[in-house]
Amino acid sequence: MPLPFILGVGAVIAGVAGVGSGIAGAGKMKEANDTMKSAQRRHEENVERLERYTKSANRKMDDLGKFELSILKGFEEFSDVFEKIKNRPRFEEYHRENVELLKYNIEDIKTVSVGADVLLGGLGGAAAGTAGGFAAAGVTTAAVMALGTASTGTAISSLGGVAATNATLAALGGGSLAAGGGGMALGSTILGGATLGVGLLVGGVIFGIVGGKLSEQADEAWSQMLNAEDKINGICDYLNDIDDMAIQYNNSLKTVYQRYLMNFNRIEELVNKQHKVNWNDFTQGEKNATENAALLVILLYSMCKVSLVKKAENEQEVNTINKNEVNEMVEKSEKIIREKLSPYIA
């Protein structure tokens, strides 16, 4: 057989083998591309789901935070009326059996009232989750810090509006904020909207999940997606728990606040409209209403002091919900409403 013919046959065989390899390679490339697209699509769906849970939790926590701030702001009116009553008992020493609450201090009441007013004034232009961040940290603590000093040395209360709110966020973020620690200051400057809100509630782990990109290698991208999905599933469960807790605590606060208003409105009418300001002239029912209002102010102050979220020690872990303290405070408030208030006598 002539050598050229043999070489030609060899070339054909080699060519066929090359085509086969090319087809197999193309198939692997298509499979890898499909895996990449599938991983990206599933990751985007997971992130969208996280954003839905985030928005819901932010709304509930923002509602709670704003309500707590409005309660604290209203203490100014209480203190104005209360201080007009002459010869009144020293309610700061007043206590009921088996119920431990903060002692009544008129200066503390005034301080949180002014601080709450400062923070409320800055919420109009603040990002979603800001008021919820205050609730997570404890609104009473935030209100007190709103009268503190910013990192620039400027009194926060003198800044006003969003600037005061941001300065308080940064102060809380560097210190006692249960919902993100130092991540608060970072989130308030480089992040916005839903990412800020979930960062305040969840902690630093959220930034890597939302901001990270999948690998360009198919197998690695799929593995990263599954890892992120597992974390997102856990965070969504956590956010759902926060959602439920915020509703529960808001309802508990409303119950106490409504009972407070019932008593306070009576003494406000008595003092400001009837000009009856001598405790010795009060009827027993009027004394009971005053005593109840003072006790409920202490209770509301204490409820607004509760941190709803505890910061995780490791930034790669999700923060924890302060369920024990929240439940204890709800039970305490129910017990006071049920057993410890003086009879309301018309």
Side-chain angles (χ1 to χ4, degrees):
M1 183 179 295
L3 182 60
F5 178 77
I6 295 175
L7 293 176
V9 171
V12 170
I13 294 173
V16 171
V19 170
S21 298
I23 292 173
K28 290 182 179 180
M29 289 178 63
K30 183 180 183 304
E31 181 180 343
N33 187 50
D34 289 344
T35 298
M36 287 289 296
K37 288 181 178 179
S38 180
Q40 185 64 38
R41 182 169 56 252
R42 187 161 154 181
H43 182 63
E44 290 172 355
E45 290 172 353
N46 287 332
V47 171
E48 288 175 3
R49 176 163 52 89
L50 174 60
E51 289 176 354
R52 289 196 304 273
Y53 277 79
T54 297
K55 289 179 181 178
S56 178
N58 274 338
R59 282 195 300 270
K60 302 298 190 306
M61 288 292 287
D62 277 346
D63 288 344
L64 175 60
K66 290 174 183 176
F67 182 47
E68 288 184 303
L69 285 171
S70 68
I71 289 173
L72 297 183
K73 179 183 177 181
F75 285 173
E76 180 180 8
E77 187 178 7
F78 168 81
S79 63
D80 288 344
V81 170
F82 194 70
E83 288 189 312
K84 291 177 182 178
I85 303 174
K86 298 179 175 61
N87 302 315
R88 68 182 185 273
R90 292 170 60 97
F91 287 114
E92 64 269 22
E93 297 178 354
Y94 175 82
H95 67 277
R96 296 292 179 115
E97 64 279 4
N98 301 322
V99 176
E100 295 181 3
L101 288 173
L102 296 173
K103 290 185 177 181
Y104 175 81
N105 185 310
I106 194 67
E107 294 305 319
D108 290 343
I109 298 300
K110 289 180 178 179
T111 296
V112 297
S113 175
V114 175
D117 192 19
V118 170
L119 295 180
L120 278 171
L123 288 179
T130 298
F134 291 144
V139 167
T140 298
T141 299
V144 171
M145 294 193 75
L147 298 179
T149 304
S151 59
T152 58
T154 304
I156 292 177
S157 58
S158 69
L159 297 174
V162 179
T165 297
N166 287 342
T168 304
L169 288 175
L172 288 168
S176 64
L177 180 63
M184 165 77 83
L186 172 66
S188 63
T189 54
I190 66 172
L191 298 171
T195 306
L196 170 60
V198 74
L200 299 178
L201 299 179
V202 178
V205 66
I206 194 65
F207 301 128
I209 295 174
V210 176
K213 293 183 178 180
L214 298 181
S215 170
E216 295 181 358
Q217 301 297 319
D219 291 343
E220 180 64 22
W222 188 259
S223 176
Q224 289 175 352
M225 181 277 296
L226 291 177
N227 182 53
E229 183 177 74
D230 183 61
K231 292 180 179 179
I232 287 173
N233 288 340
I235 292 173
C236 286
D237 289 341
Y238 168 90
L239 289 170
N240 190 56
D241 286 344
I242 280 188
D243 204 306
D244 292 341
M245 180 193 62
I247 294 173
Q248 176 199 19
Y249 208 57
N250 208 336
N251 289 337
S252 181
L253 273 166
K254 286 178 180 177
T255 299
V256 176
Y257 186 61
Q258 288 168 359
R259 187 61 64 93
Y260 159 74
L261 286 179
M262 183 179 74
N263 287 276
F264 172 71
N265 288 341
R266 187 176 185 190
I267 63 172
E268 195 275 334
E269 165 80 18
L270 191 70
V271 171
N272 287 340
K273 296 182 180 179
Q274 298 181 26
H275 306 292
K276 192 173 182 180
V277 295
N278 192 326
W279 177 261
N280 296 325
D281 296 333
F282 282 22
T283 66
Q284 187 58 51
E286 291 163 353
K287 290 179 178 180
N288 288 351
T290 307
E291 184 180 76
N292 288 342
L295 177 60
L296 291 169
V297 162
I298 301 171
L299 176 57
L300 288 168
Y301 181 97
S302 300
M303 293 182 77
C304 292
K305 192 176 179 66
V306 172
S307 300
L308 272 66
V309 174
K310 288 185 176 181
K311 182 180 181 298
E313 294 182 4
N314 186 341
E315 289 190 0
Q316 297 307 309
E317 296 177 354
V318 177
N319 292 339
T320 57
I321 300 174
N322 194 8
K323 290 184 178 180
N324 289 340
E325 191 171 352
V326 168
N327 290 334
E328 286 176 6
M329 186 57 73
V330 169
E331 291 175 3
K332 183 180 292 185
S333 70
E334 291 174 349
K335 185 172 184 178
I336 289 175
I337 293 295
R338 185 176 61 250
E339 302 176 5
K340 306 304 178 183
L341 294 182
S342 300
Y344 186 89
I345 304 173

